[in-house]
Amino acid sequence: MRTGLLTALGAYSLWGLLPIFFRLLHHVAPVEIVAQRVLWSLILILSLLGMRSGLPALFALLRNPRLMLPLSTSAMLIGANWLTYIWAVNNGHVIAASLGYFLNPLVNVGLGVIVLKERLRRGQVAAIAIAAAGVTIMAASALTTLWISAALALTFAIYGLIRKLTPVPPMTGLGAETLLLAPFALAYFLWLSGHGGSALGSDDGTTILLILSGAVTTVPLILFATAAQRLPMTTLGLIQYVAPTLQFLSGILLFGEKLSQGQMMSFGLIWLGLILFAADSLNAARRNRLATA
């Protein structure tokens, strides 16, 4: 549980700072950024697996149709999530993107209850209801960009569920997903390069950022996959509010996006729900320690 909490906090904190990174690449087309993310991630992941003697396990996984089928679906979902997110950030919709990840924990909680039959305590239900009210207000105040938020929430929540239910190590599973996306990314990159349109090599700053996109992609996904296997979906879902909060603040404080009164109200309700959820979890842990003492 402790490892799951630490890796979840690490993953969501890094994701929360992604708008700053991708805004530096605003002059690069979102599809190319995704393609570069895939290719540089693949190089990094294969290198890490090679250093950890993990390549035989990856090759064995690739020959297992029972596991590759769900990983094919998760690869498609994470690719769609990346493309939507980068497009939103580089087109001035950071707050809409953050709303998607505010919605995502609620979808995670719903999946945990409906699919995994996880049970909620009354305090958790009250906390989630308050957070859900805040998200509803935020959604109502941003109807024109709601499709961005819904796409991000659904693709990543289902991705997380698939990774939780697929019994593969985090790094090995991520390697398989990246390998599945790599042929599409490589084909697009070669086509783009042949038509003189690739941003790679256009200037040193852009090239370095595109190469770094591999690490920016890989590290939080590894942390997330580790957390998804160690934490209940309900707990994972609520911790996830760290990322959209950081994104939300970036949109307002760094990128000058406007914040309506409804969005301010929703922000307060969401954090109130988080505080109540954390308090309920601490009380439950304390009661469990006393019961087993």
Side-chain angles (χ1 to χ4, degrees), residues 35 38-39 181-191:
V38 170
L39 295 175
L181 292 172
F184 302 100
L186 182 60
Y188 180 79
F189 175 68
L190 292 175
W191 177 86

Side-chain angles (χ1 to χ4, degrees), residues 152-249:
L152 291 173
L154 290 171
T155 53
F156 199 72
I158 300 172
Y159 170 81
L161 178 63
I162 291 173
R163 287 307 306 268
K164 183 175 182 65
L165 297 177
T166 305
V168 297
M171 180 80 77
T172 307
L174 183 57
E177 290 173 338
T178 311
L179 274 171
L180 289 167
L181 292 172
F184 302 100
L186 182 60
Y188 180 79
F189 175 68
L190 292 175
W191 177 86
L192 202 60
S193 299
H195 290 75
S198 175
L200 188 69
S202 60
D203 63 79
D204 292 342
T206 299
T207 300
I208 291 170
L209 288 171
L210 289 173
I211 293 172
L212 286 176
S213 68
V216 167
T217 298
T218 302
V219 172
L221 277 174
I222 293 172
L223 294 174
F224 171 77
T226 301
Q229 292 183 341
R230 295 172 182 264
L231 293 177
M233 286 291 284
T234 49
T235 303
L236 189 66
L238 269 294
I239 295 174
Q240 188 168 344
Y241 278 122
V242 170
T245 297
L246 291 174
Q247 295 168 10
F248 187 78
L249 293 174

Side-chain angles (χ1 to χ4, degrees), residues 123-164:
Q124 290 177 313
V125 172
I128 292 168
I130 292 172
V135 171
T136 301
I137 293 171
M138 188 178 287
S141 63
L143 289 175
T144 57
T145 56
L146 191 56
W147 69 270
I148 297 172
S149 308
L152 291 173
L154 290 171
T155 53
F156 199 72
I158 300 172
Y159 170 81
L161 178 63
I162 291 173
R163 287 307 306 268
K164 183 175 182 65

Side-chain angles (χ1 to χ4, degrees), residues 112 114-115 118 153 158 160 188 219 222 224 238 254-255 260 287:
I114 296 170
V115 179
E118 294 178 357
I158 300 172
Y188 180 79
V219 172
I222 293 172
F224 171 77
L238 269 294
L254 298 180
F255 306 133
S260 68
R287 288 194 299 268

Side-chain angles (χ1 to χ4, degrees), residues 72-96:
S72 298
T73 304
S74 63
M76 179 178 63
L77 288 168
I78 199 62
N81 184 275
W82 289 347
L83 183 59
T84 305
Y85 180 78
I86 293 170
W87 182 92
V89 168
N90 286 350
N91 282 273
H93 300 301
V94 175
I95 291 179

